[in-house]
Amino acid sequence: MQAGKPVLYSYFRSSCSWRVRIALALKGIDFEMVPVNLIKDGGQQFSKDFQALNPMKQVPTLKIDGITIHQSLAIIEYLEETRPTPRLLPQDPKKRASVRMISDLIASGIQPLQNLSILKKVGEVSKDLREETKLTWAQNAITSGFNALEQILQSTAGKYCVGDEVTMADLCLVPQVANAERFKVDFTPYPTISCINKRLLALEAFQLSHPCQQPDTPTELRA
């Protein structure tokens, strides 16, 4: 390990960044935050300086131990391997597979279909009904994934997504639920998702990392 505080490049509303902020909070890792506004100036992630840091021009990006890591799940897995307490992946291989399955379902099967860049493209295609079309697109992407996720969680969940310990799957769930709420998804068909989310939001790490509590959170969205 190299000395020095980790540096997280993050955007307050980015669900991928939120996953990493939760992991850092749970593991008690002190870090510096560098906000990257995904909207201001056409998106600060497209600057030459940031592209040199992350060629995908995305957040989160974490500088730690002398390396730079992109992609939220890769970052969380690295933190788990180098700072394993408290653990975010169960010791039991079957439960660990369930955690990774749920994490990938959200991180690969739901969130990318309703993220900022995709919705921008959807809006460009449907200029006459831009906002309505983007809302419908996001709702369809999320409900399709949540229909599967609700069914899976009914067989894996205890207090949380997999059993009674907070895992990487929970770090993915809460930010995605927040996205769903922002896009006005009806949660009536998803009682398991809703119940787990409520329990997780009561935990300090999820509160400290919440988008309404970040250095770059606009004043009107602070809580």
Side-chain angles (χ1 to χ4, degrees), residues 10 45 63 95 100 104 148 157 179 198 210 217:
S10 171
Q45 71 274 28
K63 285 186 173 181
K95 288 185 177 180
R100 288 186 168 123
D104 282 340
N179 285 345
K198 184 177 180 180
H210 196 280
T217 305

Side-chain angles (χ1 to χ4, degrees), residues 13-200:
R13 189 172 262 171
S14 160
S15 56
C16 301
S17 297
W18 190 2
R19 296 169 195 158
V20 174
R21 295 196 303 262
I22 300 168
L24 291 166
L26 283 169
K27 291 180 177 292
I29 301 170
D30 189 23
F31 66 97
E32 295 180 10
M33 177 90 73
V34 177
V36 179
N37 194 310
L38 303 186
I39 299 173
K40 185 179 179 181
D41 302 326
Q44 294 174 346
Q45 71 274 28
F46 299 117
S47 70
K48 289 183 179 180
D49 287 345
F50 189 77
Q51 187 173 348
L53 185 71
N54 185 335
M56 278 295 288
K57 296 166 280 190
Q58 297 174 338
V59 291
T61 295
L62 184 67
K63 285 186 173 181
I64 188 170
D65 301 336
I67 62 172
T68 301
I69 313 174
H70 319 133
Q71 302 299 326
S72 61
L73 298 191
I75 293 170
I76 293 168
E77 293 254 13
Y78 178 80
L79 295 176
E80 181 72 0
E81 291 173 359
T82 59
R83 296 152 175 87
T85 305
R87 64 172 176 256
L88 298 175
L89 289 170
Q91 290 180 318
D92 178 78
K94 293 179 181 178
K95 288 185 177 180
R96 196 158 60 241
S98 293
V99 168
R100 288 186 168 123
M101 173 181 67
I102 293 166
S103 300
D104 282 340
L105 187 156
I106 296 170
S108 301
I110 303 177
Q111 189 275 334
L113 300 176
Q114 50 89 103
N115 70 8
L116 183 63
S117 61
I118 294 297
L119 293 181
K120 184 178 179 181
K121 291 294 184 183
V122 171
E124 290 173 356
V125 171
S126 305
K127 292 181 180 179
D128 293 337
L129 297 170
R130 186 171 297 170
E131 294 306 316
E132 181 181 346
T133 301
K134 289 196 289 186
L135 180 63
T136 300
W137 177 283
Q139 288 174 340
N140 289 340
I142 294 168
T143 56
S144 176
F146 273 14
N147 288 339
L149 181 60
E150 176 72 18
Q151 184 176 344
I152 291 167
L153 291 175
Q154 288 173 4
S155 63
T156 64
K159 287 175 62 178
Y160 306 118
C161 284
V162 179
D164 296 329
E165 294 183 358
V166 175
T167 67
M168 183 169 67
D170 300 296
L171 277 56
C172 295
L173 179 75
V174 169
Q176 187 56 56
V177 170
N179 285 345
E181 292 172 341
R182 187 154 57 94
F183 291 119
K184 302 176 184 178
V185 169
D186 177 14
F187 275 82
T188 305
Y190 312 122
T192 311
I193 291 174
S194 298
C195 188
I196 295 170
N197 183 67
K198 184 177 180 180
R199 290 195 191 105
L200 289 165

